[in-house]
Amino acid sequence: MGNQDLDKVIVNSPGRINIIGEHTDYNLGYVLPTSIDKRIRLTIERNNTDTQCEIRSEGYKKALLVDLKHIAPSNTQWENYILGVLYEIYKRNKELKGFQCTIESDLPVGSGVSSSAALECGLAFGLNELFDLGLSKHEIVTLSRDAEHNYVGTKCGIMDQFASVMGKKDHVILLDCKSMDYTYVPFSIAPYKLVLLNSNVSHSLASSEYNTRRNECEEGVSILQKKYPNISSLRDASLEMIDAGKIDMSPKVFDRCTYVVQENIRVLNAVEALEKGDLKKLGTLMYETHEGLRNLYEVSCPELDFLVDFSKNEDEVLGSRLMGGGFGGCTINLVHEDAADSFIQSVSEAYEKEFNIKLSHFEGHPSTGTTLL
Ligand code: GLA
């Protein structure tokens, strides 16, 4: 069905959580994310101009005005998510015409639930419907990722965009970032639940260090290729190969590669644990991921380490780790539902005492990906 008659669309574009599999996506490994029931809402209307667009976001007084024929990066970062998506769509498809858009959100920004991917994909999804652009979901996901690379400057992987668009209620997605094959894994963890603790810090290192990690992994791959020419990413490497390549690597590169290969193994073990209902095992894997992110990948920070360490004293918390790119944002915690309130209270008090920062929290419920209202 064509959408020529559609004047207005309203899109719900969710944030994502990730059970396990961090910094594996751009190394073409495995991830286990899902979209959640917190979302950005975009209302997009045709304005009957050829190329004039006006975007207003809650919390920003100034509207972003864009002429599709003259799109260029902005000095204001949130605008680049929009501009990047418009650029990527317009270069593919001139059926895109002028519109106005308003954006509201109940997603905490900078907390590691990927409000940025929700914004990119929600805009692309809505414009696709409104102007009948014929983009597949896969194209919406990849062009949104490209927007982030080219306009925002973060060389992110595919996980956030994929999870935001493709999520399914009560399931997590096992995504193979090499083949892009995916399966929905039922997520039933009662009487446990997922509690997200937002450290409310966002260290400025995040973007530059992210790209540095990516480069370090690529350096590891090119060293390994001298011995193993068939390797094209860390996904193809085993721990034995990394050990054999150690002598040619800097200690940092060795640690980064080791972490990634271990993390891929953990994701597959986590799926097995979920399928067996072995939540204790799942929790242990989450703790191991945090240790790896802290010591080998070095993307944690004192606030996140504090939250994870604190949780270890609570019997009713099975696992905890930093979630997302690192250097701030949330920890994801697997907590018994009867103990969740008292855990949140005690960790909040301790955190505020230690850092003089208020902790916030919310629950993570696997929910449907991007939808039209
Ligand atoms: C950010 C990126 C993702 C992924 C995670 C780390 O959220 O956008 O692509 O790399 O960090 O797992």
Side-chain angles (χ1 to χ4, degrees):
M1 192 186 79
N3 288 342
Q4 291 86 340
D5 299 332
L6 216 54
D7 284 330
K8 173 174 167 179
V9 291
I10 302 176
V11 183
N12 258 349
S13 188
R16 67 99 188 90
I17 55 174
N18 185 25
I19 309 304
I20 200 161
E22 225 62 89
H23 289 276
T24 43
D25 58 354
Y26 54 84
N27 287 303
L28 304 190
Y30 299 104
V31 289
L32 195 63
T34 176
S35 44
I36 53 169
D37 56 348
K38 292 200 173 294
R39 46 203 64 229
I40 291 181
R41 179 170 294 183
L42 302 98
T43 306
I44 316 176
E45 282 175 82
R46 290 174 186 260
N47 64 7
N48 301 320
T49 68
D50 260 359
T51 59
Q52 303 302 314
C53 312
E54 182 180 333
I55 298 103
R56 293 187 174 273
S57 179
E58 201 185 42
Y60 291 89
K61 279 207 184 102
K62 214 170 116 247
L64 166 62
L65 302 176
V66 189
D67 180 342
L68 293 174
K69 284 204 194 109
H70 305 285
I71 305 175
S74 154
N75 293 327
T76 309
Q77 198 58 303
W78 80 267
E79 297 184 347
N80 283 325
Y81 296 106
I82 310 255
L83 292 164
V85 167
L86 295 181
Y87 174 81
E88 292 297 329
I89 294 182
Y90 199 63
K91 88 177 180 204
R92 288 169 173 80
N93 194 325
K94 299 287 181 282
E95 291 302 306
L96 177 62
K97 303 281 184 235
F99 66 88
Q100 60 199 46
C101 171
T102 50
I103 302 167
E104 302 151 89
S105 173
D106 60 6
L107 274 181
V109 174
S111 64
V113 291
S114 209
S115 52
S116 47
L119 179 57
E120 294 152 2
C121 295
L123 181 63
F125 193 96
L127 293 173
N128 186 42
E129 294 293 330
L130 188 61
F131 294 103
D132 202 14
L133 302 176
L135 297 168
S136 66
K137 280 191 174 177
H138 183 78
E139 284 169 309
I140 289 172
V141 166
T142 52
L143 80 81
S144 298
R145 187 260 331 260
D146 295 347
E148 191 142 342
H149 284 202
N150 300 332
Y151 265 66
V152 180
T154 307
K155 301 285 180 201
C156 64
I158 199 76
M159 169 170 74
D160 302 347
Q161 291 79 9
F162 193 93
S164 180
V165 174
M166 302 297 291
K168 181 172 169 183
K169 193 170 183 325
D170 299 331
H171 291 73
V172 290
I173 314 170
L174 171 62
L175 171 66
D176 176 341
C177 300
K178 184 175 181 185
S179 65
M180 294 305 287
D181 288 341
Y182 60 97
T183 43
Y184 291 109
V185 180
F187 194 70
S188 35
I189 56 166
Y192 285 81
K193 61 183 181 182
L194 293 176
V195 173
L196 283 294
L197 296 177
N198 186 353
S199 67
N200 286 315
V201 295
S202 168
H203 293 291
S204 57
L205 280 173
S207 182
S208 62
E209 286 297 307
Y210 187 93
N211 290 347
T212 306
R213 291 300 172 279
R214 200 171 170 146
N215 293 337
E216 287 164 345
C217 292
E218 277 162 20
E219 189 183 328
V221 170
S222 56
I223 292 168
L224 291 172
Q225 278 169 338
K226 295 193 186 116
K227 261 199 179 72
Y228 308 102
N230 293 334
I231 286 183
S232 56
S233 68
L234 286 179
R235 162 62 179 282
D236 305 324
S238 64
L239 288 172
E240 291 72 32
M241 290 174 178
I242 310 267
D243 282 339
K246 181 173 183 177
I247 186 151
D248 299 315
M249 293 178 189
S250 70
K252 260 193 185 155
V253 169
F254 174 75
D255 284 351
R256 309 304 190 231
C257 294
T258 304
Y259 164 78
V260 171
V261 176
Q262 288 175 342
E263 182 73 349
N264 277 327
I265 299 169
R266 276 192 288 266
V267 176
L268 298 180
N269 288 339
V271 171
E272 202 184 304
L274 256 182
E275 284 170 345
K276 284 189 185 148
D278 188 349
L279 297 182
K280 214 160 176 241
K281 171 81 185 176
L282 178 63
T284 305
L285 291 164
M286 290 166 71
Y287 277 128
E288 284 173 15
T289 292
H290 188 79
E291 285 311 299
L293 290 167
R294 184 201 307 218
N295 300 322
L296 300 178
Y297 220 67
E298 295 182 286
V299 292
S300 190
C301 59
E303 294 86 351
L304 294 169
D305 291 340
F306 180 89
L307 294 174
V308 172
D309 288 343
F310 188 93
S311 78
K312 288 185 178 157
N313 301 323
E314 308 275 319
D315 289 345
E316 304 293 1
V317 182
L318 295 184
S320 174
R321 63 175 198 81
L322 80 83
M323 191 183 72
F327 301 106
C330 286
T331 60
I332 179 168
N333 303 270
L334 185 57
V335 189
H336 195 287
E337 58 190 16
D338 294 343
D341 289 346
S342 67
F343 168 60
I344 292 167
Q345 193 179 342
S346 54
V347 71
S348 300
E349 281 168 14
Y351 184 74
E352 190 168 352
K353 198 163 162 219
E354 183 77 12
F355 297 104
N356 205 15
I357 302 171
K358 284 220 182 304
L359 196 64
S360 34
H361 62 89
F362 53 94
E363 289 181 16
H365 298 290
S367 301
T368 317
T370 323
T371 43
L372 275 195
L373 281 192

